């Protein structure tokens, strides 16, 4: 080939490279166009709420002033990234009519209706402040406590044109939710995306441009409602039939699985009430799970048809790992399906309701579980082992009456970053104005007045009307309008919990001025995330030799009524993580249906909470672990134990009441669990909670022996390296009363379980410490230790550090408390034998770094 041809080819390839962006995760760090990025510390800044007032015609200068102040506060807090929704209904104000410049004057009064629609200027102002990393969230739903229905940005004109686009109840009434697969919704969503991309986003993407992340809708989970509330429309039932056909192939197989005698597929009815037929419940759950997955990949597909593809951006999904009764937890496999959806991220709100004693968190270890679980699951999406977690919504406040204290917020930010959240965005960062809140009241009032006249109450004050009247009105509105409005609030108070102005106790108010809790966000930026952004971006978790094993199949309803799928997968699992961390153990949270088999090999002890529904991959993984000599501790259900021991069912002969009880176990001279009657064994009490199962080992138990007892009943047994425990003693660690728990009692039993494999935590938490959790991350230069407590009294504790956790070999090490700005100098022996001192105030948290001391 002639030289000039080679040069031309090289030049061409250079131009192609220069025109395209590559966003990737490599070596546990975000890399953009080959440049390693720091930890992203940012916020959701909602330009559309910073309008300067509720109605139209707010002066442009006022809007820009608010935007400027809010962006300046981000810079002041050392933030380097930003995210924001782009509400469809705000910009497509009428079908086919869009405003992205804030200049439309629909009322013809000579003033722009909403200067706050000027996205071009908003992007420009972000750039002027040096914020170069942006995630956009254009819906179509977005939720966000926004819009005329209160949760979402689907335009009002769309609802009026396509009233049958909503989901339906089993009795045919429409709900506020739209059918995710409605063809009109998807068609107009494509028009919305195409217009937004062409007029605004296209020139913000590509090499050297700020948009790095594209979120695919938001919290797609039927808005935290029961799966029996919807969707029973004709199209949805058709999809359900198709799902069953793909799962069972023929009607006979379905009938055998469900215990039914359906004549053909068209005759199959969907379950409408939970617990009538658990097999049907499970398939209804699986169908809805798949339906959401299918919707999300359709949304991604629309973007890809417009030319928005990876690796130019990283597609993400924002999910909260919580659900109501009979609701849906996000499926880690579906949400991380490579090339289909996006990388699942983590939304976290550990304080959401108030208690008489104003507890620090309602779910103290939710942040720990959710970040660790998301980290492992996202490897599936990224197709490699990476530690990189995105948190687009990390609690920045809550609604009126809920005290989310500075201590609560600080613990959440330290916990998430300490476990490897490398993109942490505060949500809400600003309060502001809602949209279309008067619509619902305008629809309900005529129905209300009509009923008052019918019942002869036309002149009766609304506050004096009977409950029976309000019940009848609610039923009429549900039938005539949509299910989901609180009619009494609408009539009496003019809203349905949504006012003109959004209150969230956020760091910034509706005027973009600082509020009470801005300082804690600023402190995080100034003392931690700003100066240590590079370390936090590249460092990895220092895990101990223990792991919690879970999977998405256990999200399905259990055949055992006492084993609630939501509690098992989320609340109790987080409680177990909390117990482990109280002992100084940093566990991995592994997925039996996602992680590679070798991922489990470094954990000597595998903990598993058995809901009686397990993915085949989980059973295979646990069986392999036992064959390698690892210990498996299985709690509650014995589905896994029966498969792993190949014994007859070790049935529960007793199910405990709701009272806490004290069980008995025995320790031999080496501190290991021993059967009752072992010579020299010491009896020890363990405080437990319901549910509780006792087991009849029977004649086919293959040498299994009891190790935990309620009087003469066996509540725990061992079969070789498999330990089955039939009760909970860690549930309270993820509950509001965690600060009242006797953790020493539970830690003693945990140490007995760990003694099976001689597991010693790398961080030794003082035995006298109360409600103290500690965990670490590191690189070759530094170790980062997060310490937090829910104890309400100040305490001085010691933390002993094993040599394996130290950053290299040195004569002495400096231990620095980053938030309290103190330091200690210790030798490696001093750190391991005596430990360093930590003084913790009430509900305190901090970060210690360990580095080689300067000579």
């Amino acid at each position: 080939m002639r030289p000039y041809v080679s040069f031309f080819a090289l030049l061409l390839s250079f131009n192609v490279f220069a025109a395209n962006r590559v966003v990737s995760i490599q070596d546990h760090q975000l890399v953009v166009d080959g440049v390693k990025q720091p930890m992203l510390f940012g916020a959701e800044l909602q330009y559309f709420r910073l309008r300067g007032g509720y109605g139209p015609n707010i002066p442009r200068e006022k809007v820009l002033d608010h935007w400027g102040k809010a962006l300046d506060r981000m810079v002041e807090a050392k933030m380097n990234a930003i995210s924001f929704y782009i509400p469809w209904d705000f910009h497509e104000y009428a079908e086919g009519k869009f405003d992205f410049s804030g200049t439309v004057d629909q009322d013809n009064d000579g003033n722009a209706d909403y200067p706050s629609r000027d996205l071009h200027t908003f992007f420009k102002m972000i750039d002027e402040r040096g914020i170069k990393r942006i995630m956009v969230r254009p819906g179509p739903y977005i939720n966000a406590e926004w819009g005329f229905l209160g949760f979402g940005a689907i335009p009002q004109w769309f609802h009026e044109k396509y009233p049958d686009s909503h989901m339906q109840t089993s009795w045919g009434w429409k709900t506020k939710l739209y059918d995710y697969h409605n063809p009109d919704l998807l068609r107009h969503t494509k028009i919305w995306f195409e217009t937004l991309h062409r007029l605004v986003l296209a020139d913000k993407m590509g090499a050297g441009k700020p948009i790095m992340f594209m979120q695919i809708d938001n919290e797609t989970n039927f808005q935290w409602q029961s799966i029996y509330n919807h969707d029973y429309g004709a199209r949805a039932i058709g999809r359900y039939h198709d799902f069953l056909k793909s799962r069972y192939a023929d009607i006979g197989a379905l009938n055998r699985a469900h215990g039914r005698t359906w004549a053909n597929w068209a005759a199959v009815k969907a379950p409408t009430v939970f617990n009538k037929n658990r097999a049907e419940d499970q398939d209804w759950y699986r169908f809805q799970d798949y339906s959401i997955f299918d919707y999300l990949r359709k949304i991604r597909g629309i973007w890809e048809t417009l030319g928005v593809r990876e690796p130019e951006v990283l597609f993400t999904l924002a999910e909260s790992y919580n659900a109501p009764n009979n609701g849906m937890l996000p499926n880690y496999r579906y949400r991380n399906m490579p090339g289909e959806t996006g990388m699942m991220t983590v939304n976290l709100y550990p304080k959401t309701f108030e208690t008489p004693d104003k507890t620090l968190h309602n779910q103290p270890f939710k942040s720990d579980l959710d970040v660790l679980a998301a980290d492992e699951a996202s490897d599936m999406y990224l197709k490699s082992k990476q530690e990189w977690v995105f948190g687009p919504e990390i609690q920045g406040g809550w609604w009126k009456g809920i005290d989310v204290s500075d201590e609560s917020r600080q613990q959440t930010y330290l916990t998430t970053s300490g476990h490897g959240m490398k993109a942490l965005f505060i949500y809400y960062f600003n309060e502001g104005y809602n949209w279309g809140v008067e619509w619902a009241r305008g629809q309900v009032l005529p129905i209300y007045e009509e009923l008052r006249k019918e019942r002869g109450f036309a002149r009766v004050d609304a506050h004096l009307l009977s409950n029976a009247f309000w019940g009848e009105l609610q039923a009429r509105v549900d039938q005539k309008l949509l299910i989901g409005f609180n009619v009494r609030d609408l009539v009496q108070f003019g809203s349905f919990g949504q006012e003109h102005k959004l209150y969230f106790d956020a760091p910034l108010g509706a005027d973009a001025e600082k509020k009470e809790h801005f300082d804690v966000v600023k402190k995080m930026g100034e003392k931690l995330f700003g100066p240590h952004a590079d370390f936090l971006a590249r460092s990895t978790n220092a895990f101990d030799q223990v792991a919690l094993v879970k999977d998405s199949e256990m999200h399905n309803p259990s055949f055992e009524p006492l084993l609630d799928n939501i509690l098992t997968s989320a609340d109790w699992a987080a409680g177990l993580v909390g117990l482990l961390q109280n002992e100084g153990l940093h566990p991995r949270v592994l997925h039996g249906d996602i992680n590679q088999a070798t991922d489990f090999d470094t954990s000597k002890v595998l903990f598993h909470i058995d809901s009686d529904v397990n993915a085949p991959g989980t059973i295979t993984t646990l069986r392999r672990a036992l064959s390698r000599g690892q210990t498996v501790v299985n709690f509650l259900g014995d589905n896994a134990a029966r498969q792993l021991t190949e014994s007859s069912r070790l049935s529960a002969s007793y199910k405990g009441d709701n009272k806490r009880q004290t069980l008995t176990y025995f320790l031999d001279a080496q501190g290991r669990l021993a059967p009752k009657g072992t010579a020299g064994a010491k009896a020890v009490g363990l405080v437990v909670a319901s549910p509780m199962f006792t087991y009849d080992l029977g004649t086919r138990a293959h040498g299994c022996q009891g190790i935990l007892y309620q009087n003469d009943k066996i509540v725990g047994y061992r079969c070789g390296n498999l330990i089955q425990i039939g009760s909970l003693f860690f549930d309270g660690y993820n509950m509001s009363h965690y600060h009242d728990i006797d953790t020493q009692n539970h830690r003693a039993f945990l140490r007995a379980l760990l003694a099976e494999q001689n597991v010693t935590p790398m961080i030794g938490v003082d035995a006298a410490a109360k409600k103290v959790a500690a965990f670490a991350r590191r690189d070759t230069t530094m170790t980062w230790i997060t310490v937090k407590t829910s104890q309400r009294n100040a305490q001085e504790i010691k933390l002993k550090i094993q040599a394996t956790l130290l950053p290299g070999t040195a004569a002495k090490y400096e231990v620095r408390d980053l938030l309290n700005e103190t330091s200690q100098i210790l030798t490696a022996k001093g750190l391991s034998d005596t430990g360093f001192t930590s003084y913790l105030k009430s509900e305190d948290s901090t970060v210690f770094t360990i580095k080689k001391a300067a000579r």
Side-chain angles (χ1 to χ4, degrees):
M1 185 179 291
R2 288 177 290 184
Y4 70 86
V5 175
S6 297
F7 177 77
F8 176 78
L10 179 64
L11 182 63
L12 180 61
S13 68
F14 174 81
N15 287 337
V16 170
F17 175 80
N20 291 280
R21 155 151 294 175
V22 176
V23 179
S24 63
I25 310 298
Q26 301 174 32
D27 297 325
H28 314 295
Q29 194 162 357
L30 175 67
V31 178
V32 180
D33 294 340
V35 178
K36 293 182 178 180
Q37 303 294 305
M39 173 190 173
L40 305 189
F41 178 45
E44 167 83 9
L45 186 60
Q46 297 187 350
Y47 66 93
F48 50 89
R49 277 197 159 102
L50 289 174
R51 304 198 300 273
Y54 181 74
N57 302 324
I58 305 297
R60 176 179 175 83
E61 293 75 18
K62 186 174 184 179
V63 173
L64 299 188
D65 174 71
H66 286 5
W67 287 359
K69 285 180 181 177
L71 289 167
D72 288 342
R73 298 295 79 78
M74 292 184 69
V75 174
E76 183 181 346
K78 307 301 180 187
M79 292 181 173
N80 59 7
I82 189 172
S83 69
F84 44 88
Y85 296 120
I86 306 178
W88 178 6
D89 58 347
F90 188 54
H91 291 283
E92 189 175 2
Y93 55 92
E95 184 179 0
K97 296 181 179 181
F98 299 86
D99 183 9
F100 297 111
S101 61
T103 57
V104 168
D105 179 18
Q106 198 175 7
D107 56 10
N108 297 313
D109 66 351
N111 300 305
D113 295 337
Y114 293 98
S116 46
R117 288 172 173 158
D118 187 357
L119 259 178
H120 299 290
T121 296
F122 185 61
F123 272 104
K124 181 174 179 289
M125 294 174 72
I126 294 170
D127 182 68
E128 289 172 346
R129 284 157 178 81
I131 299 175
K132 305 294 184 182
R133 303 168 186 92
I134 295 177
M135 177 172 72
V136 291
R137 314 209 286 172
Y141 267 96
I142 81 169
N143 294 340
E145 294 75 46
W146 174 264
F148 75 105
L149 294 180
F151 272 94
I154 310 300
Q156 181 181 327
W157 61 258
F158 180 88
H159 163 79
E160 293 169 350
K161 184 172 183 178
Y162 304 104
D164 294 329
S165 59
H166 290 263
M167 293 185 185
Q168 293 182 24
T169 64
S170 58
W171 56 93
W173 294 2
K174 291 179 288 189
T175 76
K176 290 200 292 183
L177 274 175
Y178 292 89
D179 177 1
Y180 293 137
H181 301 275
N182 179 268
D184 294 313
L185 175 65
L186 294 173
R187 179 166 53 84
H188 280 281
T189 294
K190 184 174 182 179
I191 295 171
W192 158 239
F193 285 176
E194 188 280 329
T195 307
L196 173 64
H197 179 254
R198 174 170 47 85
L199 297 181
V200 181
L201 301 184
D203 66 353
K204 310 295 189 301
M205 297 178 175
K209 302 298 177 62
I211 295 177
M212 297 179 179
F213 308 98
M214 171 69 74
Q215 184 176 298
I216 299 173
D217 219 328
N218 185 59
E219 295 179 326
T220 313
N221 58 10
F222 300 106
Q223 291 179 358
W224 299 277
Q225 296 181 38
S226 166
I227 58 174
Y228 300 96
N229 289 4
H230 37 237
D231 179 16
Y232 295 90
R235 285 194 181 97
I237 297 302
R239 293 193 298 271
Y240 176 57
H241 290 164
D242 291 342
F243 175 81
L244 293 176
K245 290 175 188 176
S246 67
R247 182 170 174 82
Y248 294 101
D250 67 79
I251 195 70
L254 173 69
N255 283 332
R256 288 189 293 275
H258 288 187
R260 294 289 195 177
T261 57
W262 304 117
N264 50 55
W265 292 109
V268 175
K269 304 292 185 184
T272 59
V273 179
F274 176 65
N275 205 24
K276 294 287 187 180
N277 183 317
R278 283 297 175 102
E280 289 183 342
D281 289 335
Q282 289 188 347
D283 276 336
W284 183 242
Y285 189 101
R286 292 184 180 107
F287 161 65
Q288 300 288 19
D289 212 358
Y290 177 81
S291 180
I292 289 174
F293 161 70
D294 194 33
Y295 163 73
L296 292 171
R297 67 179 177 180
K298 287 176 182 176
I299 296 301
R300 172 169 171 161
I302 294 173
W303 282 115
E304 291 182 328
T305 62
L306 299 174
V308 179
R309 298 185 178 91
E310 292 182 342
E312 182 181 58
V313 296
L314 179 65
F315 286 113
T316 66
L317 305 174
E319 301 292 351
S320 294
Y321 194 72
N322 57 276
N325 290 337
N326 302 323
M328 299 203 71
L329 290 170
N331 185 308
Y332 284 108
R333 283 183 59 82
Y334 279 154
R335 297 300 200 278
N336 286 291
M337 197 68 72
E340 299 282 348
T341 53
M343 186 183 78
M344 180 173 160
T345 62
V346 180
N347 290 356
L348 282 170
Y349 300 93
K351 178 69 182 284
T352 57
F353 62 90
E354 200 52 87
T355 56
D357 59 356
K358 293 190 178 294
T359 189
L360 182 72
H361 288 137
N362 307 122
Q363 296 174 300
F365 290 95
K366 176 177 176 56
S367 300
D368 307 79
L369 173 72
D370 291 6
V371 174
L372 292 171
D375 177 36
E376 294 289 346
S378 63
D379 291 346
M380 176 181 173
Y381 187 79
L382 298 171
K383 300 180 182 178
S384 63
K385 295 297 301 178
Q386 304 291 341
E387 283 191 23
W388 200 86
V389 179
F390 197 144
E393 295 188 20
I394 307 303
Q395 187 161 24
W398 202 248
W399 314 116
K400 289 181 179 178
I402 312 301
D403 179 21
V404 186
S405 65
D406 280 352
E407 291 82 3
S408 171
R409 296 167 197 244
Q410 178 170 302
Q411 279 207 22
T412 300
Y413 306 149
L414 295 193
T415 298
T416 51
S417 58
H419 284 307
M421 180 171 283
K422 298 183 178 182
L424 192 163
F425 287 52
I426 307 298
Y427 187 99
Y428 289 96
F429 187 60
N430 66 279
E431 297 170 356
Y433 292 90
N434 293 317
W435 186 252
V437 300
E438 64 284 334
W439 181 87
R441 190 167 194 262
Q443 302 297 309
V444 169
L445 282 178
I447 304 173
Y448 163 74
E449 296 295 350
E450 178 184 57
L451 183 61
R452 275 163 60 100
K453 290 178 182 178
E454 287 181 18
R455 297 291 178 265
F457 298 147
R459 296 185 179 181
V460 177
D461 184 271
H463 293 83
L464 299 178
L465 294 169
S466 68
N467 290 337
F469 173 87
W470 293 112
E472 186 176 358
L473 177 63
Q474 185 70 62
R476 284 199 184 188
V477 170
D478 287 349
Q479 182 177 12
K480 290 185 176 183
L481 188 58
L482 297 168
I483 290 179
F485 295 112
N486 185 320
V487 296
R488 194 167 194 163
D489 281 356
L490 277 169
V491 172
Q492 292 185 345
F493 306 112
S495 72
F496 50 95
Q498 185 193 34
E499 301 171 351
H500 287 85
K501 185 184 289 187
L502 176 135
Y503 172 87
F504 200 73
D505 199 17
L508 301 183
D511 56 1
E513 296 292 346
K514 299 176 188 177
K515 293 183 64 181
E516 176 186 358
H517 300 293
F518 174 79
D519 286 343
V520 71
V521 175
K522 182 179 177 181
K523 179 170 70 171
M524 295 297 100
E526 288 185 334
K527 293 191 174 185
L528 300 181
F529 305 146
H532 300 284
D534 290 331
F535 168 84
L536 290 168
R538 67 176 179 264
S539 59
T540 57
N541 283 300
F543 288 120
D544 287 284
Q545 295 174 310
V546 297
L548 167 65
V549 182
K550 64 199 309 290
D551 62 59
S552 291
E553 187 68 11
M554 66 189 289
H555 295 175
N556 289 285
S558 171
F559 285 101
E560 171 51 68
L562 287 180
L563 298 178
D564 180 271
N565 56 322
I566 307 298
L567 290 175
T568 304
S569 300
D571 299 88
W572 295 344
L576 179 52
V577 170
L579 170 64
L580 293 169
Q581 289 184 171
N582 267 260
E583 189 57 22
L585 290 160
H586 196 183
R588 297 181 70 179
V589 177
L590 301 172
H591 304 264
D593 55 346
I594 293 178
N595 282 92
Q596 299 297 311
T598 53
D599 292 342
F600 299 81
D601 292 352
T602 58
S603 299
K604 290 184 176 181
V605 181
L606 299 176
F607 294 93
H608 177 247
I609 305 176
D610 194 340
S611 69
D612 262 6
V613 182
N614 297 293
T618 296
I619 301 301
T620 300
T621 293
L622 297 179
R623 182 176 287 116
R624 178 178 180 274
L626 291 173
S627 71
R628 298 182 70 255
Q630 295 162 267
T631 294
V632 173
V633 183
N634 193 61
F635 291 100
L636 298 181
D638 64 351
N639 175 276
R642 284 183 282 116
Q643 295 187 65
L644 295 170
T645 62
E646 299 178 353
S647 66
S648 58
R649 179 172 178 84
L650 308 177
S651 301
S653 58
Y654 168 80
K655 298 172 182 178
D657 55 25
N658 291 320
K659 297 178 181 178
R660 291 194 172 269
Q661 304 178 53
T662 300
L663 306 182
T664 304
Y665 63 96
F666 296 86
L667 296 178
D668 63 18
Q670 287 74 42
R672 293 176 299 193
L673 292 169
K676 183 189 292 187
T678 301
K682 175 185 176 183
V684 186
L686 173 66
V687 179
V688 302
S690 292
M692 186 174 76
F693 300 90
T694 61
Y695 305 100
D696 178 6
L697 300 186
T699 59
R700 295 182 58 199
H702 300 284
C704 300
Q705 295 178 307
I707 57 170
L708 184 64
Y709 305 86
Q710 183 201 38
N711 299 320
D712 292 329
K713 296 175 181 177
I714 296 175
V715 185
Y717 61 86
R718 172 198 277 118
C719 300
N721 280 355
L722 171 68
I723 295 176
Q724 176 74 29
I725 305 295
S727 190
L728 292 172
F729 59 97
F730 47 77
D731 58 316
Y733 286 71
N734 197 46
M735 298 174 71
S736 296
H737 65 270
Y738 163 57
H739 57 85
D740 287 331
I741 289 176
D742 179 8
T743 56
Q744 278 87 348
N745 176 270
H746 304 138
R747 289 173 61 189
F749 185 66
L750 175 62
R751 284 193 291 271
L753 294 173
L754 298 173
E756 298 288 319
Q757 292 283 352
N758 297 314
V759 172
T760 302
M762 287 188 287
I763 301 175
V765 178
D766 193 336
K770 297 179 179 179
K771 271 73 77 177
V772 174
F775 46 92
R777 57 188 309 98
R778 61 186 170 187
D779 69 359
T780 57
T781 66
M782 186 168 73
T783 300
W784 178 284
I785 299 175
T786 303
V787 181
K788 60 180 180 176
T789 182
S790 291
Q791 180 71 9
R792 293 190 163 182
N793 297 321
Q795 55 184 319
E796 184 175 284
I797 65 167
K798 291 281 190 180
L799 296 176
K800 298 178 181 179
I801 309 300
Q802 286 189 20
T804 54
L805 195 53
L806 299 177
T809 303
K812 293 184 178 181
Y813 296 87
E814 180 185 23
V815 181
R816 178 172 290 274
D817 184 331
L818 295 183
L819 293 182
N820 296 306
E821 299 180 340
T822 62
S823 65
Q824 307 166 54
I825 303 294
L826 295 97
T827 64
K829 182 174 176 56
L831 282 167
S832 62
D833 293 353
T834 306
F836 67 86
T837 302
S838 173
Y839 182 79
L840 298 173
K841 301 185 292 293
S842 172
E843 299 178 332
D844 202 2
S845 58
T846 191
V847 169
F848 292 93
T849 59
I850 303 177
K851 300 175 72 173
K852 294 178 183 179
R855 294 184 179 180

